[in-house]
Structure formats: structure tokens, C-alpha cells
């Protein structure tokens, strides 16, 4: 359990006095004796020198230090907050930085010394902000000179803090992925679960990784679909499934494998009967080996009494289902070919339009006063511009 230190302003104390002084923080760190420390801050500021001293104490502490901006870390308190190895800011808190100030008076020489001292102090404060954020001196000084108030999200974007505490339940990468694939077929879930078990980092909260995870999960799922998806064409359409067709296999009626196949008995082109219930294969029956699918193709081998069929009604029905399944397969292939031709035709037309656009130049010389209408008209070989030249052309033509 972490050792907690609270640097909260009181009516009498601020950074540099009482329970917010560097001597108090030093005593608290000695009492912590190497334990992990949480420093909670809610202060409007105070002494810049004491803030630097507290910052230095936190940086040199042997245990892990996490600083929490609970409500406000303004002025000198913002320097104290930078002392944590990890800086956490409440989503409702504020961070403020500004130029250092003095409350002194005196003659011009003394005031000039104060100005020089304040410039040196600002350079040290700016260095602390730079070390934390990675921003350059120009950007940091712009923020300081402008008296900048930052919300938690803004502070996170600029690098002043490491995370925002929003008091919601932690969302781990494992939880996110589990929710994402909860409705996916079992084959996909098994593959993803194997990845989760191998990679222990999936059990931690990592917002950056979570954002990347959500952007690539679709690609991962599509990859698995391409690898394991199979199709079985039947008399009632195509059944989509992962892996080989067997009892217990989940079957779907769409390529995305989101809608389970209706409960029914399906016959493949090979004559197998597949009983489906609740989106799963319940039974697969092979075709009757006694049935002779080519028996009606040879008239010479037919019995004398052609009106008495030796075939069982069930065999005839099964044969019809096989033919129907083959027709479905042929229809599916024709539809694919038709779609491919339509796409090729569309691309061909698009390419022709692009070629036309490339040939049809829209170039206009710089400074040209030609109208838009003139762009589509052929440029005359000779176009007299002055009145004198135009009259000369008219006289020449009339002769």
C-alpha cells in the first residue's frame, strides 16, 4: 500500500509554509522509508524556491512517486506536480503556469536586480517543464508568459501529465477484445484467446494500445475469415462455416458469418444431407450407396417392364436434391462471374474518362484574360487585337 502525502492549501499555509513546506515533505518522505508514495496536490501555489526544493526531494526519493492533481496545481504547485514519476490529473482539475513574481520595492537598481533574478528563476522553471513535456523553450515560455490554464485533456496533450483520472472502471485490452469478439464464431474466439493467453500485456490498462487495438481488430477478424471461412453449396443456398463441415459445426447464411443458418435439412451436390438446428450441424448423412445415379441414363439396361421403377422414392428425391444443389453451385459461379465483369466494365469506363480528362487540357497562361468560354474554343491562328489591325484585316478581306 502506498504512503500518502497531502499538500492541500489551508487558510494559513501554501507551498513553502506549514504542511506544504519542503521541510514537511522531507520529513514525510523519511517516514515513508522507501515505500511507494502518492502525493496529492490541491494548491494555488506559493514559493517558487520551496517548490523547486520539493520537486528535487521527490525526484531523488528511492521509492516510486506518483503525484495526483486533485483540484488545482497552480503556479509553484505545478512545479511540485512535475516531481512525480507518474503524474495523474483529475478530469475536473486545472493546471496553471505563469511568470514568477516578487512582492518587493526599492530603487531602480534594486528593481533591475529583481528583474534579472526573475528571468533566471523563469529559466529554471521552464527547464523543469521542458524536461517533463519535451516541448522546446520557445513554446514553454509562450505558455508561461501567457498565464496558461490547462484542463486535464489539454495538459495530457501537451505532455504535462501522464494520465487523466476519470473515476470510471479500468478498461483493459483483454476486456475490450473479449467484448469485440463475443459474437464471433467459436473458431475466431479460440484463435484470439490463444493470443491473449500468450501476451500478458493484454491484462494491463494501456490507453494508447487500446486505441491501436480498436483500429486493427477489424483487419484481424477479416484475416481470420479469409483463412478459415469455407462454403458448402446446398439445395437451399450456401452454408458458410469455419473449418471442415462436421457435427457441431456452426453454420451461417452470410459471408460475414453473423446470421446463423435456419433450422432445416440441406442436401449437397454430392448427396450428403446436413441437418441444421440452432445454427449448428446436428447430423450429416452420406448418400445411399445402393442408389445408382446413372441408372436412368442407359436405356439398354432398363428392365422389361419400364413402368415398374426399381428405385425407391427416397432415392429419387435425393437425386433431385443433388441436382438442385448443383444448380445452386452453377448459379453462384455465374453470379460471381457477372459481378467480376460488371466491376471490370466500371473500371474500364472510369479509365476512359480519366484518359479524356488528361487529354482535355485546362491550361491557362499566367496573366491571360481569356474567359472560361474561350477555354473550350479553338485558339485562332491570328487574332488582331487593336482597332487599327482589325480594320486592316477587314479591308484586306473586302478586296
Amino acid at each position: 500500500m502506498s504512503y500518502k502525502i497531502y499538500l492541500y492549501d489551508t487558510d494559513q499555509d501554501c507551498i513553502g509554509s506549514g504542511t506544504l513546506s519542503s521541510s514537511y515533505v522531507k520529513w514525510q518522505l523519511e517516514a515513508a522509508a522507501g515505500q511507494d508514495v502518492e502525493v496529492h496536490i490541491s494548491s494555488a501555489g506559493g514559493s517558487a524556491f520551496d517548490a523547486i526544493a520539493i520537486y528535487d526531494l521527490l525526484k531523488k526519493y528511492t521509492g516510486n512517486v506518483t503525484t495526483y492533481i486533485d483540484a488545482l496545481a497552480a503556479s509553484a504547485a505545478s512545479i511540485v506536480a512535475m516531481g512525480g514519476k507518474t503524474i495523474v490529473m483529475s478530469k475536473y482539475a486545472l493546471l496553471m503556469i505563469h511568470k514568477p513574481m516578487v512582492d518587493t520595492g526599492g530603487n531602480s537598481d534594486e528593481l533591475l536586480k529583481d528583474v534579472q533574478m526573475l528571468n533566471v528563476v523563469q529559466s529554471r522553471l521552464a527547464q523543469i517543464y521542458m524536461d517533463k513535456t519535451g516541448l522546446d523553450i520557445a513554446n514553454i515560455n509562450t505558455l508561461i508568459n501567457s498565464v496558461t490554464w490547462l484542463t486535464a485533456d489539454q495538459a495530457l496533450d501537451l505532455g504535462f501529465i501522464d494520465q487523466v483520472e476519470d473515476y470510471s472502471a479500468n478498461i483493459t485490452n483483454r476486456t475490450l477484445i473479449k467484448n469485440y469478439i463475443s459474437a464471433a464464431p467459436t473458431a475466431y474466439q479460440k484463435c484470439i484467446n490463444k493470443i491473449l493467453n500468450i501476451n500478458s500485456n493484454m491484462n494491463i490498462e494501456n490507453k494508447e494500445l487500446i486505441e491501436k487495438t480498436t483500429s486493427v481488430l477489424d483487419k484481424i477478424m477479416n484475416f481470420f475469415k479469409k483463412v478459415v471461412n469455407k462454403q458448402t453449396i446446398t439445395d437451399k443456398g450456401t452454408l458458410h462455416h469455419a473449418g471442415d463441415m462436421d457435427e457441431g459445426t456452426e453454420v451461417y447464411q452470410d459471408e460475414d458469418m453473423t446470421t446463423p443458418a435456419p433450422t432445416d435439412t440441406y442436401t449437397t451436390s454430392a448427396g450428403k444431407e446436413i441437418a441444421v438446428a440452432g445454427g449448428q450441424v446436428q447430423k450429416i448423412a452420406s448418400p445411399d450407396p445402393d442408389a445408382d445415379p446413372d441408372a436412368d441414363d442407359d436405356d439398354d439396361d432398363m428392365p422389361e417392364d419400364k413402368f415398374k421403377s426399381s428405385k425407391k422414392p427416397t432415392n429419387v428425391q435425393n437425386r433431385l436434391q443433388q441436382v438442385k444443389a448443383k444448380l445452386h453451385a452453377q448459379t453462384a459461379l455465374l453470379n460471381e462471374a457477372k459481378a467480376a465483369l460488371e466491376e471490370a466494365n466500371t473500371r474500364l469506363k472510369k479509365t476512359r474518362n480519366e484518359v479524356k480528362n488528361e487529354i482535355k487540357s485546362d491550361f491557362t497562361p499566367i496573366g491571360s484574360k481569356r474567359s472560361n468560354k474561350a477555354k473550350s474554343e479553338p485558339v485562332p491562328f491570328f487574332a488582331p487585337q487593336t482597332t487599327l489591325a482589325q480594320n486592316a484585316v477587314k479591308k484586306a478581306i473586302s478586296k
Side-chain angles (χ1 to χ4, degrees):
M1 188 173 181
S2 301
Y3 187 91
K4 293 180 172 57
I5 301 173
Y6 289 88
L7 302 180
Y8 283 8
D9 281 351
T10 66
D11 291 340
Q12 297 83 25
D13 299 331
C14 59
I15 298 295
S17 62
T19 57
L20 289 88
S21 65
S22 56
S23 59
Y24 173 79
V25 173
K26 180 176 179 297
W27 174 75
Q28 289 277 30
L29 292 176
E30 289 174 351
Q35 299 180 65
D36 289 348
V37 170
E38 293 182 4
V39 181
H40 292 263
I41 302 167
S42 178
S43 172
S47 169
F49 297 112
D50 238 47
I52 294 174
I54 296 173
Y55 171 87
D56 198 48
L57 286 169
L58 297 177
K59 284 296 185 182
K60 291 179 179 178
Y61 182 68
T62 55
N64 185 61
V65 177
T66 303
T67 52
Y68 289 84
I69 303 175
D70 292 340
L72 174 66
S75 188
S78 67
I79 294 295
V80 175
M82 299 299 108
K85 182 177 181 181
T86 303
I87 305 174
V88 183
M89 186 172 177
S90 166
K91 66 184 295 185
Y92 310 107
L94 291 171
L95 177 73
M96 187 271 277
I97 62 176
H98 69 149
K99 295 172 73 71
M101 299 180 294
V102 293
D103 188 14
T104 60
N107 58 38
S108 59
D109 293 334
E110 292 170 335
L111 292 175
L112 183 59
K113 290 180 181 178
D114 286 341
V115 170
Q116 294 172 345
M117 181 271 293
L118 289 172
N119 287 335
V120 173
V121 172
Q122 179 168 333
S123 70
R124 297 303 84 208
L125 301 179
Q127 188 62 55
I128 292 174
Y129 295 134
M130 289 167 59
D131 291 342
K132 174 58 186 172
T133 64
L135 297 173
D136 59 32
I137 186 63
N139 285 322
I140 289 295
N141 275 330
T142 298
L143 295 173
I144 292 175
N145 296 337
S146 302
V147 187
T148 303
W149 291 81
L150 300 173
T151 64
D153 290 336
Q154 291 170 335
L156 183 64
D157 290 339
L158 291 173
F160 284 94
I161 64 173
D162 298 302
Q163 67 184 73
V164 177
E165 189 174 31
D166 60 4
Y167 309 106
S168 60
N170 289 342
I171 302 176
T172 64
N173 297 293
R174 175 181 291 274
T175 304
L176 178 69
I177 295 174
K178 280 285 189 181
N179 292 335
Y180 189 88
I181 66 168
S182 59
T186 305
Y188 300 163
Q189 295 190 34
K190 287 180 179 178
C191 295
I192 296 294
N193 287 337
K194 189 172 183 180
I195 295 173
L196 296 180
N197 292 332
I198 292 174
N199 192 347
S200 60
N201 290 331
M202 291 298 178
N203 289 316
I204 63 173
E205 181 180 11
N206 185 324
K207 291 188 176 181
E208 181 180 358
L209 184 57
I210 287 175
E211 292 175 359
K212 291 180 180 179
T213 301
T214 54
S215 66
V216 301
L217 275 174
D218 283 325
K219 295 180 181 178
I220 294 175
M221 296 300 290
N222 289 335
F223 169 77
F224 279 115
K225 287 179 181 179
K226 290 180 181 178
V227 172
V228 302
N229 274 16
K230 292 188 177 181
Q231 298 179 358
T232 299
I233 299 177
T234 72
D235 60 318
K236 297 179 178 65
T238 304
L239 295 177
H240 301 269
H241 51 95
D244 295 330
M245 178 74 75
D246 203 351
E247 292 184 6
T249 300
E250 296 176 348
V251 288
Y252 301 84
Q253 61 181 4
D254 59 328
E255 291 184 359
D256 294 332
M257 297 179 71
T258 57
T259 306
T263 299
D264 206 337
T265 300
Y266 301 80
T267 303
T268 68
S269 58
K272 290 184 178 181
E273 291 186 352
I274 303 172
V276 176
Q280 288 187 337
V281 176
Q282 304 298 318
K283 184 179 179 181
I284 300 178
S286 299
D288 186 355
D290 295 333
D292 185 5
D294 298 322
D296 57 350
D297 294 336
D298 191 354
D299 293 337
D300 296 334
D301 296 334
M302 292 180 65
E304 295 180 0
D305 189 355
K306 294 189 290 184
F307 297 100
K308 292 183 180 180
S309 176
S310 62
K311 293 184 180 181
K312 299 178 181 179
T314 55
N315 291 339
V316 174
Q317 183 66 23
N318 193 35
R319 179 63 174 166
L320 290 174
Q321 299 289 7
Q322 292 180 43
V323 173
K324 192 174 182 181
K326 288 181 180 179
L327 289 174
H328 272 287
Q330 293 173 358
T331 302
L333 290 174
L334 288 173
N335 288 336
E336 289 182 8
K338 183 180 179 181
L341 287 172
E342 289 178 352
E343 182 179 357
N345 191 38
T346 301
R347 290 186 177 182
L348 183 61
K349 289 181 179 179
K350 182 178 180 181
T351 303
R352 288 176 178 173
N353 290 333
E354 289 175 351
V355 172
K356 288 180 180 179
N357 290 334
E358 290 176 1
I359 295 174
K360 188 176 181 181
S361 174
D362 196 27
F363 174 73
T364 302
I366 298 175
S368 174
K369 296 182 180 179
R370 295 171 59 206
S371 66
N372 292 331
K373 181 179 179 182
K375 291 182 182 180
S376 59
E377 297 174 351
V379 180
F381 177 74
F382 174 70
Q385 302 296 320
T386 64
T387 304
L388 182 62
Q390 292 174 355
N391 291 333
V393 170
K394 289 180 180 179
K395 289 181 180 180
I397 293 175
S398 62
K399 290 180 181 180

